Amino acid sequence: LSLPFLFVEGAIIILVVLYTKYFIVEIQPLGAKIVYFIFFYLMVALIEAHIFKAWLTEPGGISPEWSRNNLKKVSFPGEISKGKFYTLYPELKEHYENLPDKTECVYRYCFECNMVKPLRTHHCSLCNRCFLKMDHHCPWIANCIGYHNHKNYFIFLLLTTMMGFIIFCTLIKPLIMQFFSEHIASYSRLIAIIICLVISAAFCVGTFLLIITHFYIIRNNITSVEYYDYTPASSPYSYHDCCRNMKSCLGENPWTWILPTGPNLKEDGHHFYDLTSIRNMGERSTVVGELNEPKKYTEISQLNIQN
């Protein structure tokens, strides 16, 4: 656990307790109170489930077997890294020295983890590990956001923004009425409403800005790390289809996006293909639509095309 994570959890608990005591219990009639209570606490339960899921889920580690199988496909940024690699794997020196000039070596090697890194994989200096399709390290949940927990992080942000907006909108009127009334019935209630408004406004502003950012990168099938490298038009990983790009992060079935489960993606996070290259080959209609089919998936991987 980290202090930012505890801070967020503490703020949510304070907000929910005060909102329940000074607003929900006062709703009339009883039927409306019950319906609103169920709706609100279902939303809170989903928020808590998603934040804990994002915190506890492994963002995506590199498979040792995959790394071993791709030791002959490493690209070196310079002679120093190449020398360090030959020190670790002297038996591969002859292989790389005899490679044809046009041979594509597309993967990088992490000397911290001693693993070949799949495309879109990055090393987190705070976690001291490489993660598949790493987006960023989030101090608020004390974990990296990557291939397996980006969905939970995004839905947590979305629901928290909704909760903050609902609480702010429902409490702003009682606060105004308190200020314009000749007699304040309860100072404790007034202070509680102000506290709720401050916390909900902070959630609305903070998480809404993150929602805009992450909706943009998910709909374009890029990550925060790749944000500065690609535009929506130039991203080699984009299907140029908002729904398809969203599914590649949140899961194939939109009806399960809200559930606090993993994204249940068909891919394993190690293989990404350059869709721009595939489209340029004139195969968009047959390949992109069937990218996740096992037979077609194998055929594409044999083309040595990256995405």
Side-chain angles (χ1 to χ4, degrees):
L1 290 175
S2 66
L3 288 177
F5 181 84
L6 294 175
F7 176 80
V8 171
E9 281 298 302
I12 292 175
I13 292 172
I14 292 173
L15 187 61
V16 170
V17 170
L18 293 180
Y19 187 66
T20 302
K21 181 177 180 179
Y22 292 100
F23 180 79
I24 295 180
V25 296
E26 297 180 1
I27 295 177
Q28 295 295 334
L30 180 60
K33 180 190 299 185
I34 294 174
V35 171
Y36 191 82
F37 182 90
I38 293 173
F39 164 76
F40 181 76
Y41 272 87
L42 179 60
M43 182 168 55
V44 172
L46 287 172
I47 288 172
E48 289 298 311
H50 278 289
I51 190 174
F52 274 91
K53 181 72 174 176
W55 169 46
L56 296 173
T57 297
E58 162 75 28
I62 303 172
S63 165
E65 181 181 1
W66 184 94
S67 178
R68 288 192 299 268
N69 292 338
N70 288 276
L71 285 171
K72 294 184 178 181
K73 300 178 183 179
V74 176
S75 174
F76 303 103
E79 292 299 321
I80 295 178
S81 62
K82 184 181 292 187
K84 291 173 65 177
F85 184 82
Y86 290 162
T87 302
L88 294 172
Y89 305 99
E91 70 277 7
L92 295 177
K93 183 175 182 180
E94 182 179 354
H95 164 76
Y96 279 102
E97 289 181 345
N98 295 326
L99 278 178
D101 293 337
K102 294 184 178 181
T103 301
E104 287 193 5
C105 294
V106 297
Y107 302 121
R108 295 163 297 152
Y109 191 84
C110 178
F111 290 98
E112 297 290 332
C113 300
N114 286 325
M115 303 274 275
V116 179
K117 296 197 293 186
L119 297 175
R120 314 183 80 181
T121 299
H122 298 277
H123 186 86
C124 175
S125 58
L126 295 175
C127 298
N128 197 29
R129 285 188 59 194
C130 286
F131 294 114
L132 302 173
K133 199 183 175 185
M134 177 182 168
D135 189 86
H136 70 287
H137 182 91
C138 179
W140 300 106
I141 64 169
N143 196 6
C144 273
I145 305 303
Y147 188 72
H148 293 297
N149 65 350
H150 199 167
K151 167 205 166 177
N152 301 110
Y153 177 74
F154 179 75
I155 300 300
F156 159 72
L157 293 177
L158 180 64
L159 293 176
T160 304
T161 303
M162 289 176 55
M163 180 184 71
F165 181 77
I166 290 171
I167 292 176
F168 187 88
C169 290
T170 53
L171 289 184
I172 191 67
K173 182 179 178 181
L175 178 66
I176 294 174
M177 292 177 62
Q178 286 278 359
F179 277 118
F180 283 95
S181 64
E182 296 181 358
H183 175 68
I184 298 177
S186 172
Y187 282 97
S188 61
R189 183 175 187 274
L190 178 62
I191 293 172
I193 290 176
I194 293 174
I195 292 174
C196 286
L197 287 172
V198 170
I199 296 176
S200 61
F203 276 141
C204 279
V205 174
T207 56
F208 182 69
L209 293 175
L210 289 172
I211 277 291
I212 293 176
T213 302
H214 282 273
F215 178 75
Y216 174 84
I217 65 177
I218 291 175
R219 75 179 297 274
N220 291 299
N221 202 358
I222 57 177
T223 65
S224 296
V225 178
E226 298 162 352
Y227 176 82
Y228 300 99
D229 297 327
Y230 305 118
T231 64
S234 67
S235 171
Y237 308 116
S238 176
Y239 292 91
H240 297 294
D241 180 302
C242 178
C243 184
R244 186 66 189 87
N245 285 339
M246 297 284 284
K247 287 181 178 180
S248 70
C249 177
L250 304 179
E252 293 295 323
N253 186 358
W255 294 104
T256 64
W257 290 356
I258 195 69
L259 300 179
T261 59
N264 296 320
L265 301 170
K266 293 182 179 180
E267 300 89 344
D268 61 4
H270 289 76
H271 305 89
F272 294 96
Y273 305 109
D274 189 336
L275 298 180
T276 303
S277 298
I278 294 174
R279 282 188 289 270
N280 291 339
M281 293 170 61
E283 296 186 32
R284 181 178 184 182
S285 60
T286 58
V287 174
V288 175
E290 301 175 20
L291 189 58
N292 291 319
E293 294 297 325
K295 182 174 182 293
K296 185 64 69 175
Y297 189 88
T298 303
E299 292 174 359
I300 297 173
S301 64
Q302 292 173 350
L303 293 175
N304 205 17
I305 296 174
Q306 6 160 348
N307 177 18

